[in-house]
Amino acid sequence: MIEVLWFIAYLILGAAAIFTVAFLGPVSILDYRLEETWDKGNGLTNVIYRIISPAICTTGVMFLVVVALGRVSVTPPSHRWISTLVYWVVLLVLKLSRREGPLYYLAVAVECAVSVLLAYLMDIFVVEGFMRVGIDIFDQSSLAFQLEVALFYVAVQLVISLSTRYQYKVNYKCHKATSVVVGLPSDSEEATVREADRVDSIDTSEKKLYSYVRQYGSLLPERFDADVLLRSVFYAIMAIEDYNRPAHIRAIERMAFPFGLSKTTGIMQQRGDRALSDEESVRLAVGYVSTMWDSYLRKFARSRKAVRGPHAALEFGTNWYRYDYESLRGVLTTSFSELYGDYSGTRVLHANGVIADVIAFFERAQYNLMPATIVAYSKLFPKEAAWFGQGAGALYWKDSDTVRRVKNDGQVGGCFYLITCVEGSIDSECITEVARILEQSGWRAEEVFFGNRAFCSIVVCGSGRLNPPRIKGWITVLCNGYSTSE
């Protein structure tokens, strides 16, 4: 039973050493490359650090454990070098997700063999030597002296790394600003190419996307079936997250979650108070992605790309919306990278190709016979819809500050008045109350201009037999020749 507990301790120590080595080491250790822009010329020392540091971190902890157990006359565990082997086994599993060439994995395997051998020798000659002769081992053993040199090297590397990290963070904003001024890219050309290659490696094949739909499609609500572009956004995010965290990595994350070593779990990388399964993360992501999409549609509806005369690319009502499929599709395929930033926190990933592949997949499922418009349920603009009363009907943004009813006949009969607020400040609730008073008097709002609490005017329509009611703080002017084609 004791040996089993020690083996579990070796597993935990080896897994924890991955984060310790990465944090204490040079910046480029995070990507396991020889050098980076801010680590020029350090390739050789980085390789040395990658070999020595796992052995030092794991054997050093076990050495302290042996010392502590010796104080209380408890037999120390054997095979202490296993913790270093665990470190490299876990690391090799993580590296399999990089999809690098065979030489890359051969180099890592060589580092692994040398590092485990070093840990074994340190365990035999240093730790067990200490158990036999005590502190004098550090004067009698040449290997012990080499261990002291290795400890000195790791300590020096720690100081250099902390300084480099601090200097990189301090100079990052200055570097970006200078790049803009002189016309240079803010990221290195190598990083840009590597990023593009990474995105191109994301699997958006028909087989992969169909497996997502078959496995998780039943978890999506009805709105995702009605709105094909929302569905495409969801599965595009899933493809990216699945690439970043393959199934074997997600399994390791679930095991590490109880120890606080991972914050997000599941295929959609969601946060929770416990480790999430892939299905649970999908259920949580549905609401998050729906909120993202609502925000995106709101920005699109008020943008110059959606406003096109009397017929906009997006119309909405009290609890529904309708958009021109081709118009929004074209905008989405050029701005998905920025939209994905709402999910991941970064807007520099070149992910437009991913969404284009996913949309094409769902279009093929419809024989490429897509409808002209898409209609789905959501309260995109609840406050603005309330301005037009109970029978709001279809509305659209005439420009970024003006909402108008949709009319099919171009010219609307009746008498029109322009009602303008003359008070210093106004809010949405005040406009809704004015609309309610007008509706009770037989008038309805046809168009509302609301200039960010500073100014508001409402075009109202009635039968012409009575004037609009007088409302405190508002003035009324007859409006001749009002047309929805303006």
Side-chain angles (χ1 to χ4, degrees):
M1 180 64 182
I2 296 179
E3 290 296 329
V4 173
L5 292 177
W6 279 118
F7 182 75
I8 295 175
Y10 293 157
L11 293 177
I12 296 174
L13 177 59
I18 292 178
F19 300 94
T20 304
V21 170
F23 178 77
L24 299 182
V27 178
S28 63
I29 199 74
L30 296 176
D31 284 335
Y32 260 66
R33 295 181 179 274
L34 291 182
E35 59 184 36
E36 290 289 344
T37 304
W38 47 88
D39 272 333
K40 285 293 184 182
N42 291 341
L44 178 62
T45 56
N46 288 350
V47 173
I48 296 174
Y49 177 84
R50 293 204 291 262
I51 294 174
I52 294 178
S53 57
I56 292 293
C57 290
T58 55
T59 306
V61 172
M62 295 309 303
F63 176 78
L64 295 177
V65 170
V66 169
V67 172
L69 294 178
R71 294 284 186 178
V72 294
S73 302
V74 175
T75 303
S78 59
H79 306 295
R80 293 166 292 269
W81 54 271
I82 292 179
S83 57
T84 306
L85 179 62
V86 170
Y87 167 92
W88 283 102
V89 170
V90 175
L91 188 64
L92 284 171
V93 173
L94 294 174
K95 295 306 172 186
L96 289 176
S97 64
R98 296 184 62 91
R99 299 176 175 86
E100 300 282 354
L103 290 179
Y104 173 85
Y105 295 111
L106 177 61
V108 176
V110 171
E111 292 177 356
C112 168
V114 176
S115 181
V116 173
L117 177 61
L118 178 61
Y120 176 78
L121 295 176
M122 290 170 58
D123 182 52
I124 295 296
F125 293 105
V126 179
V127 180
E128 291 191 2
F130 176 82
M131 295 166 57
R132 292 193 304 269
V133 301
I135 196 69
D136 292 338
I137 187 65
F138 292 102
D139 289 332
Q140 300 175 2
S141 172
S142 61
L143 187 61
F145 173 75
Q146 295 172 23
L147 173 61
E148 295 172 5
V149 175
L151 285 171
F152 174 76
Y153 169 77
V154 172
V156 171
Q157 182 63 69
L158 169 60
V159 174
I160 295 174
S161 299
L162 293 178
S163 175
T164 302
R165 289 174 187 274
Y166 174 77
Q167 188 175 19
Y168 174 71
K169 289 180 179 179
V170 169
N171 293 336
Y172 182 67
K173 290 184 178 179
C174 179
H175 168 69
K176 290 186 69 177
T178 304
S179 300
V180 171
V181 171
V182 300
L184 296 175
S186 58
D187 299 319
S188 67
E189 181 179 351
E190 176 188 357
T192 302
V193 172
R194 191 162 63 246
E195 181 70 18
D197 290 342
R198 187 173 76 89
V199 174
D200 290 341
S201 301
I202 296 175
D203 189 356
T204 54
S205 64
E206 185 167 296
K207 179 180 179 181
K208 173 62 74 172
L209 294 177
Y210 181 73
S211 70
Y212 292 151
V213 174
R214 185 179 64 251
Q215 190 168 359
Y216 307 111
S218 61
L219 304 178
L220 304 185
E222 183 179 351
R223 181 188 178 190
F224 285 70
D225 291 331
D227 191 339
V228 64
L229 293 184
L230 168 59
R231 193 188 333 149
S232 299
V233 167
F234 191 88
Y235 284 110
I237 294 174
M238 181 180 290
I240 296 173
E241 297 301 323
D242 187 29
Y243 174 83
N244 291 334
R245 296 289 193 278
H248 61 279
I249 303 298
R250 298 197 296 272
I252 295 174
E253 286 181 331
R254 293 187 187 98
M255 292 186 291
F257 186 87
F259 306 101
L261 301 179
S262 62
K263 302 298 182 183
T264 57
T265 51
I267 191 171
M268 296 300 285
Q269 289 295 292
Q270 289 288 300
R271 292 179 179 269
D273 55 2
R274 59 183 177 83
L276 303 173
S277 67
D278 289 345
E279 290 77 10
E280 290 171 330
S281 72
V282 168
R283 290 190 178 95
L284 283 179
V286 163
Y288 194 93
V289 175
S290 296
T291 301
M292 280 173 47
W293 186 240
D294 286 344
S295 177
Y296 182 81
L297 291 180
R298 292 188 190 102
K299 291 181 173 63
F300 171 73
R302 302 176 69 169
S303 71
R304 64 179 183 273
K305 295 184 179 181
V307 177
R308 298 179 179 178
H311 301 289
L314 187 144
E315 301 169 357
F316 64 94
T318 305
N319 57 5
W320 60 272
Y321 63 88
R322 175 174 59 220
Y323 61 77
D324 180 80
Y325 178 75
E326 289 298 329
S327 297
L328 186 55
R329 182 192 188 280
V331 173
L332 179 61
T333 53
T334 59
S335 61
F336 176 72
S337 297
E338 291 76 14
L339 174 61
Y340 176 68
D342 290 347
Y343 194 90
S344 66
T346 175
R347 304 186 192 278
V348 297
L349 181 69
H350 306 295
N352 291 337
V354 178
I355 190 66
D357 291 344
V358 177
I359 292 175
F361 168 78
F362 286 114
E363 288 179 342
R364 289 193 297 271
Q366 297 294 324
Y367 312 110
N368 284 317
L369 300 175
M370 302 304 295
T373 59
I374 299 294
V375 183
Y377 170 86
S378 184
K379 297 181 179 180
L380 285 185
F381 298 98
K383 293 182 179 180
E384 289 81 353
W387 298 344
F388 295 83
Q390 295 297 325
L395 309 169
Y396 71 98
W397 286 90
K398 175 184 174 183
D399 55 46
S400 60
D401 298 308
T402 307
V403 183
R404 174 183 275 190
R405 288 184 188 271
V406 174
K407 297 296 180 183
N408 297 322
D409 54 1
Q411 186 76 25
V412 179
C415 188
F416 293 90
Y417 284 85
L418 178 66
I419 302 179
T420 304
C421 179
V422 294
E423 294 184 347
S425 178
I426 188 173
D427 56 23
S428 178
E429 288 72 18
C430 180
I431 301 175
T432 302
E433 177 62 19
V434 170
R436 185 187 64 81
I437 296 173
L438 292 169
E439 189 174 23
Q440 290 177 348
S441 303
W443 295 77
R444 72 173 192 175
E446 293 293 331
E447 178 179 300
V448 178
F449 172 86
F450 184 35
N452 194 24
R453 302 180 66 89
F455 180 78
C456 177
S457 64
I458 307 175
V459 176
V460 298
C461 175
S463 62
R465 290 176 294 181
L466 297 173
N467 293 330
R470 300 184 64 178
I471 303 174
K472 184 179 178 181
W474 295 73
I475 60 174
T476 303
V477 178
L478 182 63
C479 182
N480 294 320
Y482 176 78
S483 171
T484 59
S485 61
E486 293 177 350

